[in-house]
Amino acid sequence: MDDTIKRLILAILLGVACESSGQAEEVSNHDLPFDRERINRYSLDHLPRSISIRQGADVWLGYDLPRATIYKVWRAPDGEAGLKQSGFVTRSVGKTLFEDKSDESWELRRGGETTPLSIRYLGCSEREGHFELRWELTHDADVMTLRERVPMTAESTATREIRVESLPTDSRLLLPLPAQKGWNLMTAEGTAASSLTDNEWYLLTSR
């Protein structure tokens, strides 16, 4: 094989490698945001599996990922950070606006019967103007996907958007009890709701 052919093969291999690397970097940057000024993946307070997202200038939302729910909402002190880090653990700092230390979780109500759901965290990605978290909710043969959007800015103290996909017919998805008490749930049309009954987006605002 002469030198010209060798150089051609090498150029092709390098081109493929660079393209693959670029695609991997693009996917990584899109699906795995790690701007710690806005989102922090280290353990929050006592929760080993959690994520903290800043909304607006100083409001933080901390998620309990295994329960697929908000653990804490707090406002950072004026001119200070809302998180203090030590190793791989972060501590929330500021005024607590909402906190859920319970073991309550999502439930499925169908035919007058309420059943707990198994939950599996699927990941978090950065979208245009918001972060999106996803979970899989299951009960027997029923498999649903719970999506939650956290806008990067909000007019009220804290705002979230949630949606459930593949909800079984004649069923409703019940929020964890502390969330029912601490958040206002509304349909896209602005009507107050007590549970998710379809696959449309719902709005949650803190009380």
Side-chain angles (χ1 to χ4, degrees):
M1 184 181 298
D2 59 35
D3 292 341
T4 301
I5 296 177
K6 289 181 179 179
R7 285 196 295 270
L8 179 60
I9 293 175
L10 180 60
I12 293 173
L13 292 175
L14 286 173
V16 171
C18 290
E19 182 179 357
S20 299
S21 176
Q23 290 175 347
E25 183 178 356
E26 181 180 353
V27 171
S28 176
N29 288 340
H30 182 67
D31 291 336
L32 299 174
F34 208 78
D35 177 4
R36 293 180 187 170
E37 294 297 319
R38 282 200 170 276
I39 183 169
N40 195 300
R41 295 171 179 271
Y42 290 158
S43 297
L44 173 66
D45 296 343
H46 67 285
L47 297 177
R49 295 187 61 202
S50 55
I51 194 169
S52 304
I53 300 175
R54 179 168 61 86
Q55 187 172 77
D58 55 5
V59 173
W60 284 86
L61 294 83
Y63 283 82
D64 183 343
L65 297 178
R67 288 199 300 133
T69 190
I70 282 280
Y71 153 67
K72 190 174 188 178
V73 179
W74 72 98
R75 186 185 301 278
D78 291 342
E80 298 182 24
L83 292 170
K84 287 191 176 181
Q85 183 176 327
S86 176
F88 293 100
V89 177
T90 55
R91 181 170 59 87
S92 57
V93 179
K95 180 182 179 181
T96 299
L97 306 176
F98 171 82
E99 190 169 20
D100 174 10
K101 293 183 177 180
S102 74
D103 293 325
E104 297 287 337
S105 190
W106 297 83
E107 294 181 323
L108 185 69
R109 179 169 294 172
R110 177 169 47 189
E113 182 179 350
T114 302
T115 55
L117 297 166
S118 297
I119 299 172
R120 183 167 69 95
Y121 175 58
L122 299 179
C124 175
S125 57
E126 183 175 357
R127 306 295 178 181
E128 185 66 32
H130 66 271
F131 292 99
E132 182 171 314
L133 298 97
R134 295 175 294 113
W135 292 269
E136 181 182 83
L137 310 179
T138 59
H139 172 66
D140 292 338
D142 297 319
V143 180
M144 296 158 280
T145 300
L146 178 67
R147 296 180 180 271
E148 177 157 344
R149 293 174 178 170
V150 182
M152 294 183 183
T153 59
E155 295 181 2
S156 61
T157 301
T159 300
R160 305 149 55 200
E161 299 170 354
I162 56 174
R163 176 186 182 185
V164 60
E165 299 173 353
S166 303
L167 184 69
T169 304
D170 298 326
S171 300
R172 58 182 61 229
L173 184 63
L174 305 180
L175 278 69
L177 187 57
Q180 294 180 34
K181 296 179 178 179
W183 296 79
N184 297 309
L185 178 66
M186 292 179 288
T187 65
E189 292 75 26
T191 304
S194 59
S195 58
L196 280 66
T197 58
D198 52 40
N199 65 353
E200 300 298 322
W201 284 99
Y202 287 71
L203 179 66
L204 281 164
T205 55
S206 58
R207 292 181 177 174

